[in-house]
């Protein structure tokens, strides 16, 4: 099935591993010209051939601006922005600090705000654009295993998605995916044993499951979808 995004320029933040890498691989497979930014330049060696990499801490406004300029010069103006970079936090409310709260909010949601603000005007001028934000089921239900900072950042991502959907229309769509329990290199075997039986589809998700949802929302097939939060959770939460 042709998603209609061949030759579009896609930028995936935090794309060197895990869910971000699966999104990169999927978008490359769809024919996109893909750029990746990440703080982990070492891991960028795992990127598929032809993907442009530039180091960037998305929590830093100046670095975000320089990175978008660099991608525009080296690959082209961004048509598809996937705000995937994120950090986890598992501290309890008792032990949580303002420092943890501000760090998690900055990387998980403020960065998506800063980057969207930079790229949306150009997308509108060119008449086409896609923002796809990686939220989480934790943003809907509070964290089952994660901190208040994490779940609040992901709830914020959903509000941001809808605000951008209104501001970007009609040229730019903005949607989010809300994954839960996706198996990555860091998933503990105990997590799978504990949660898989509670998931109606009886398994954890894969990064490729998330990438498929992102590719759809980034595509021309989703041209009449905006402001949506698309659950990818095996039926764990049906709302
Ligand atoms: N794994 C899950 O079960 C799950 C569930 C729901 C949502 N998510 C979300 O999916 C996204 C990807 O998660 P993952 O499981 O692949 O995690 P991961 O830790 O494997 O990947 C996150 C990537 O973001 C990068 N990153 C972190 N801070 C950064 C910064 N300041 N600037 C630039 N890059 C930075 C990391 O280097 C890493 O490459 C995150 O937003 C996460 O919150 C994951």
């Amino acid at each position: 099935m042709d998603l209609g995004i061949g030759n579009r320029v896609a930028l995936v933040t935090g794309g060197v591993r895990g869910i971000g890498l699966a999104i990169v691989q999927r978008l490359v497979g769809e024919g996109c010209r893909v750029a990746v930014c990440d703080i982990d330049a070492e891991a960028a060696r795992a990127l598929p051939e032809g993907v442009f990499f530039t180091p960037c801490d998305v929590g830093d406004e100046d670095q975000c601006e320089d990175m978008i300029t660099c991608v525009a010069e080296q690959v082209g103006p961004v048509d598809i922005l996937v705000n995937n970079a994120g950090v986890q936090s598992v501290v309890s409310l008792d032990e949580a600090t303002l420092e943890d709260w501000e760090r998690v909010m900055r990387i998980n949601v403020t960065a998506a705000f800063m980057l969207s603000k930079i790229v949306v005007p150009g997308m509108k001028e060119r008449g086409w654009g896609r923002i796809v934000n990686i939220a989480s089921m934790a943003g809907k239900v509070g964290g089952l295993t994660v901190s208040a900072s994490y779940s609040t950042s992901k709830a914020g991502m959903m509000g941001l998605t809808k605000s951008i959907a209104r501001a970007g229309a009609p040229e730019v769509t903005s949607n989010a995916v809300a994954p839960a329990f996706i198996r990555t290199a860091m998933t503990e075997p105990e997590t799978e044993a504990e949660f898989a039986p509670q998931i109606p589809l009886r398994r954890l998700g894969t990064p490729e499951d998330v990438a498929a949802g992102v590719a759809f929302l980034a595509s021309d097939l989703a041209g009449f979808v905006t402001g949506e939060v698309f659950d990818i959770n095996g039926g764990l939460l049906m709302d």
Side-chain angles (χ1 to χ4, degrees):
M1 190 186 298
D2 182 11
L3 296 186
I5 48 177
N7 226 26
R8 293 280 186 196
V9 174
L11 169 63
V12 182
T13 70
V16 301
R17 64 167 172 261
I19 292 170
L21 179 58
I23 295 169
V24 168
Q25 289 164 336
R26 180 72 200 232
L27 293 178
V28 167
E30 298 298 337
C32 292
R33 287 178 284 149
V34 180
V36 168
C37 74
D38 204 294
I39 38 167
D40 189 348
E42 192 71 10
R45 292 193 192 136
L47 288 170
E49 207 177 321
V51 171
F52 177 75
F53 175 78
T54 179
C56 173
D57 176 353
V58 294
D60 183 297
E61 190 178 13
D62 291 341
Q63 288 191 36
C64 284
E65 279 170 4
D66 292 349
M67 181 271 291
I68 295 288
T69 304
C70 170
V71 169
E73 284 168 3
Q74 299 294 323
V75 190
V78 176
D79 299 311
I80 299 167
L81 169 63
V82 183
N83 285 306
N84 166 79
V87 284
Q88 245 207 19
S89 163
V90 293
V91 288
S92 68
L93 193 57
D94 285 349
E95 288 164 9
T97 60
L98 185 58
E99 193 185 5
D100 168 77
W101 174 273
E102 288 179 338
R103 180 184 70 96
V104 173
M105 295 297 279
R106 192 159 186 91
I107 298 167
N108 287 10
V109 63
T110 307
F113 157 74
M114 291 192 290
L115 290 170
S116 303
K117 201 171 146 48
I118 300 170
V119 300
V120 166
M123 291 175 172
K124 282 182 78 79
E125 265 172 43
R126 295 189 303 279
W128 195 96
R130 295 280 186 270
I131 306 291
V132 186
N133 291 327
I134 312 302
S136 167
M137 190 182 83
K140 294 186 172 187
V141 301
L144 302 181
T145 58
V146 291
S147 68
S149 58
Y150 184 86
S151 61
T152 306
S153 71
K154 295 302 187 179
M157 199 66 143
M158 295 179 199
L160 176 67
T161 299
K162 293 173 188 182
S163 295
I164 297 170
R166 292 186 191 283
E171 297 90 353
V172 179
T173 69
S174 169
N175 294 287
V177 294
F181 296 110
I182 305 303
R183 192 192 308 113
T184 64
M186 280 167 297
T187 308
E188 306 287 344
E190 306 83 64
T191 307
E192 179 136 24
E194 185 181 349
F195 288 99
Q198 300 175 41
I199 297 173
L201 295 182
R202 296 287 184 274
R203 64 172 177 87
L204 299 196
T206 63
E208 290 72 25
D209 290 326
V210 182
V214 170
F216 169 69
L217 292 171
S219 77
D220 271 343
L221 300 183
F224 199 52
V225 180
T226 197
E228 172 63 4
V229 178
F230 181 34
D231 288 333
I232 302 177
N233 61 30
L236 184 59
L237 173 73
M238 301 186 192
D239 65 347

